[in-house]
């Protein structure tokens, strides 16, 4: 093999040790860095577009007489809320999220059926 043992003259690959790593491109921007970032976009298709509704708002609509359950067991559904005008039917994408703001004004015992 001789003087340089087949490694050529000088340079990083001629020295002892590992040499360059597999993704090294001679100073050019690495391939994986040239690709667009898609990590955040993957989860956007699982996002739920929920309409926030407070229990205080539900109690106000019941007090005004605008919200009445249509079911015989007295459970308030999303359909009842749409009929009462709390939000338009077109706004419901994934459902309704019931929030606890206004719970100190509750007077009636409520049975509400919401997905979240």
């Amino acid at each position: 093999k001789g003087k340089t043992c087949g490694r050529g003259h000088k340079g990083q690959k001629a020295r002892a040790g590992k040499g360059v790593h597999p993704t090294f491109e001679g100073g050019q921007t690495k391939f994986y860095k040239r690709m667009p970032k898609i990590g955040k976009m993957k989860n956007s298709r699982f996002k739920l577009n929920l309409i926030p509704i407070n229990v205080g708002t539900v109690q106000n609509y019941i007090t005004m007489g605008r919200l009445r359950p249509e079911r015989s067991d007295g459970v308030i559904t999303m359909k009842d809320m749409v009929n009462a005008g709390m939000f338009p039917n077109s706004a419901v994408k994934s459902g309704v999220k019931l929030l606890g703001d206004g719970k100190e004004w509750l007077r009636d015992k409520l049975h509400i059926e919401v997905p979240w």
Side-chain angles (χ1 to χ4, degrees):
K1 288 233 175 173
K3 180 179 157 234
T4 54
C5 301
R7 289 178 177 252
H9 292 282
K10 299 187 182 177
Q12 188 174 8
K13 294 199 296 189
R15 314 279 183 205
K18 189 171 183 224
V20 295
H21 52 85
T23 60
F24 185 70
E25 298 184 27
Q28 175 177 312
T29 305
K30 296 176 183 71
F31 180 73
Y32 71 88
K33 289 203 169 206
R34 283 180 276 161
M35 294 292 103
K37 290 200 259 183
I38 58 167
K40 193 171 185 181
M41 290 182 266
K42 287 180 188 171
N43 293 327
S44 63
R45 62 185 147 168
F46 302 113
K47 181 182 177 188
L48 297 174
N49 295 322
L50 301 173
I51 300 172
I53 296 287
N54 289 311
V55 286
T57 307
V58 174
Q59 179 62 53
N60 288 342
Y61 273 77
I62 291 172
T63 305
M64 288 188 286
R66 291 177 66 180
L67 180 61
R68 288 185 214 97
E70 291 181 5
R71 287 175 36 178
S72 59
D73 56 358
V75 175
I76 298 171
T77 61
M78 286 195 310
K79 184 178 180 209
D80 298 330
M81 293 180 192
V82 169
N83 293 339
M86 294 179 82
F87 46 84
N89 193 20
S90 61
V92 180
K93 304 274 189 284
S94 302
V96 174
K97 184 171 186 176
L98 191 64
L99 305 176
D101 197 23
K103 62 185 173 203
E104 57 271 1
W105 298 307
L106 286 179
R107 286 183 252 148
D108 306 322
K109 190 173 181 179
L110 301 177
H111 296 283
I112 304 173
E113 184 180 282
V114 290
W116 303 101

